[in-house]
Amino acid sequence: MGLNPTSSTSGLAVAPLLSTASIQHRAYLSKEFTKLRRVRPRVPFFKLVAHRLPTLWGLYRDLLRCLPDIRESKKESKWRWKDFRDEEWASREHGTAKCKECLLFWYKLLEHLQSPVSNRFASKLSRYERILRARREKIEMQQVYEKELEWIKKMKNRPILTGGYLRPTINNRPLPRMKNQPIHITMMIRNRIKARAKRMERQTQLIGWLEDAKAERVFEAGLRKEALDENGMVDLRELDFEDGGYQTAIRDSLRSISESFELDRQRASSRFTPEMMGLIKNARKVKLANKTRERQRELRGEITNRALKRMRQGPPAHILTKMSEEEKRLDKVAREVSRGGYSGSIKRQRRKKDRRRTKELGASNLDENEPKSAADVE
């Protein structure tokens, strides 16, 4: 019969269940396993309640209470919170060390604010307020400046009606011609071109499949004919051929593609609406008026973009290759804006040789007012 080591029959002291060496070994293992236990929480430190509650309700709230002039102004309060929040987010990215440094700075500031205010500290506080206010005004001005630059860029690249017609095609309906055509119209035409090419490839593939299906059906009909015996009964057992039902899906796809092509033809045959015609004609009138005013400014001596482009432009290539250096120089002088002096004399000489002289260019008026030489008078 086995004896229990912990039992006592005669009232003697109970012997320990574990030996001293075993207890020490267990303590050693507990200490080693404790080092492997996870101490850090599974969420970021800035989401812990132990960090959020003291920071928001203890630090930031007390900062607002100690700055009543800031708390009264919504803009100033927003900018104080923005500074505090940006600094806090920056500290989160750099870990707990940066966050601790940030919190120490703001707690130190709170301690100064809650202490009896002296003249020296009041001047520091007012100087800090002026720095923050100047920073806010600088950032607001930068935002206004960037917004204005975006507006200038938008107006520079805005679509302008040229008075022309974008005639209907299979890819677009009739539209007014625009300089700096909107990107959504360009992408619409591009996507339709690509989609039509894909539909044509798909149509060719489906037609090929349909021809294969028809050939297969003819082959099956030949097999059925050969399988009949003399009595007109089917010789092969369980011979069952389909009646072309597998062609339904192919025909449906071809019908859908044909409907898409019909929509393209309708788009190409559409007409300009009266409202759009009036808009285009009005744009043409405005363009003519703008060019007339530009021409008048050039006659008054203003250098416009059109005049600069005309001055940089040369004769056609096939004529330029046959011109001498002197003729090239005279052509460049004749393209200048001035109508008097040496430039004017060169222009009048060239107009005398031009058979296409018109009153629009002022050739006849200039020739009549041009002083004649003594040889011409004689």
Side-chain angles (χ1 to χ4, degrees):
M1 183 175 181
L3 297 177
N4 189 354
T6 60
S7 62
S8 176
T9 58
S10 59
L12 298 176
V14 180
L17 182 62
L18 301 175
S19 63
T20 306
S22 178
I23 294 174
Q24 292 178 356
H25 183 66
R26 291 195 174 197
Y28 172 75
L29 292 178
S30 176
K31 182 179 179 182
E32 293 298 325
F33 287 140
T34 303
K35 295 179 181 179
L36 302 177
R37 186 181 304 169
R38 181 182 177 87
V39 180
R40 295 178 59 186
R42 297 184 180 275
V43 295
F45 72 94
F46 49 82
K47 291 185 178 180
L48 295 175
V49 179
H51 171 76
R52 290 178 57 83
L53 286 181
T55 304
L56 294 178
W57 297 95
L59 176 60
Y60 184 67
R61 193 175 183 183
D62 291 345
L63 284 172
L64 289 180
R65 286 177 176 175
C66 294
L67 298 173
D69 54 339
I70 297 177
R71 185 162 43 85
E72 291 175 1
S73 176
K74 292 184 179 179
K75 281 189 175 182
E76 296 290 343
S77 178
K78 182 186 75 173
W79 279 93
R80 293 306 181 279
W81 166 244
K82 186 176 182 300
D83 294 340
F84 184 83
R85 183 186 60 189
D86 292 346
E87 198 162 342
E88 184 183 5
W89 276 102
S91 64
R92 291 178 184 180
E93 295 177 358
H94 293 84
T96 55
K98 183 67 177 178
C99 182
K100 183 178 179 181
E101 181 182 352
C102 171
L103 292 177
L104 287 176
F105 168 77
W106 288 102
Y107 274 114
K108 184 176 180 181
L109 178 62
L110 179 62
E111 181 181 356
H112 282 290
L113 293 174
Q114 290 177 347
S115 62
V117 180
S118 60
N119 294 332
R120 175 171 168 270
F121 184 70
S123 62
K124 286 185 178 180
L125 184 61
S126 61
R127 181 167 59 88
Y128 181 67
E129 291 295 324
R130 290 195 300 270
I131 292 174
L132 291 180
R133 189 175 295 108
R135 177 176 177 269
R136 176 175 58 84
E137 293 176 355
K138 179 180 179 181
I139 294 179
E140 288 182 351
M141 182 57 65
Q142 184 68 21
Q143 292 175 354
V144 173
Y145 181 69
E146 292 177 356
K147 187 177 180 180
E148 188 67 22
L149 285 180
E150 291 179 0
W151 174 254
I152 293 174
K153 183 178 179 181
K154 181 180 178 181
M155 295 301 293
K156 183 178 180 180
N157 299 324
R158 70 186 187 279
I160 299 175
L161 297 177
T162 61
Y165 298 92
L166 186 60
R167 302 190 179 278
T169 62
I170 58 176
N171 301 314
N172 63 277
R173 292 187 178 275
L175 293 171
R177 179 75 65 176
M178 288 176 283
K179 188 178 181 181
N180 294 334
Q181 181 172 279
I183 188 65
H184 66 275
I185 295 180
T186 304
M187 296 305 297
M188 176 193 69
I189 296 174
R190 177 177 178 271
N191 293 335
R192 284 178 177 173
I193 292 174
K194 294 174 65 176
R196 182 178 175 84
K198 290 181 179 179
R199 284 199 302 269
M200 294 178 68
E201 293 178 0
R202 179 65 174 170
Q203 185 185 35
T204 304
Q205 185 181 26
L206 291 175
I207 290 175
W209 289 356
L210 187 60
E211 294 296 332
D212 294 341
K214 290 180 180 179
E216 184 178 358
R217 189 175 181 185
V218 172
F219 177 72
E220 291 175 356
L223 288 179
R224 182 183 292 110
K225 186 176 181 180
E226 293 179 359
L228 295 177
D229 59 358
E230 297 177 355
N231 298 327
M233 300 298 293
V234 179
D235 190 14
L236 298 178
R237 294 181 180 181
E238 299 179 359
L239 182 60
D240 184 16
F241 296 103
E242 298 180 359
D243 296 334
Y246 48 82
Q247 302 178 12
T248 305
I250 299 178
R251 295 184 185 278
D252 291 342
S253 299
L254 288 173
R255 188 180 302 107
S256 176
I257 294 175
S258 300
E259 292 175 356
S260 300
F261 288 154
E262 181 62 27
L263 292 177
D264 292 344
R265 285 190 289 270
Q266 292 179 6
R267 191 182 300 117
S269 61
S270 57
R271 298 178 178 275
F272 286 92
T273 60
E275 295 80 5
M276 192 176 296
M277 293 290 292
L279 182 66
I280 295 173
K281 291 181 179 179
N282 186 27
R284 191 173 296 179
K285 293 179 182 178
V286 173
K287 180 180 179 180
L288 182 60
N290 289 337
K291 294 299 180 181
T292 303
R293 288 194 297 269
E294 184 180 14
R295 181 62 177 169
Q296 292 174 355
R297 295 201 307 271
E298 290 180 4
L299 294 176
R300 290 196 297 267
E302 182 178 348
I303 304 298
T304 61
N305 292 332
R306 177 174 174 268
L308 292 174
K309 183 178 180 180
R310 187 175 63 250
M311 291 171 63
R312 292 192 298 265
Q313 186 179 8
H318 66 282
I319 297 178
L320 184 63
T321 55
K322 299 178 181 179
M323 294 175 62
S324 62
E325 294 298 330
E326 181 65 17
E327 290 175 344
K328 292 179 181 179
R329 186 185 66 82
L330 294 178
D331 180 81
K332 188 174 182 180
V333 172
R335 294 179 184 276
E336 294 179 356
V337 181
S338 175
R339 287 183 173 271
Y342 182 67
S343 300
S345 63
I346 296 298
K347 290 180 180 180
R348 285 190 291 271
Q349 292 176 10
R350 292 169 68 91
R351 273 196 293 269
K352 286 181 180 179
K353 300 178 183 179
D354 191 0
R355 294 175 298 176
R356 300 173 299 174
R357 295 187 301 172
T358 59
K359 292 184 179 181
E360 183 181 356
L361 297 176
S364 59
N365 295 333
L366 289 173
D367 293 342
E368 293 177 359
N369 298 329
E370 185 181 358
K372 299 182 180 179
S373 61
D376 295 335
V377 173
E378 294 177 356

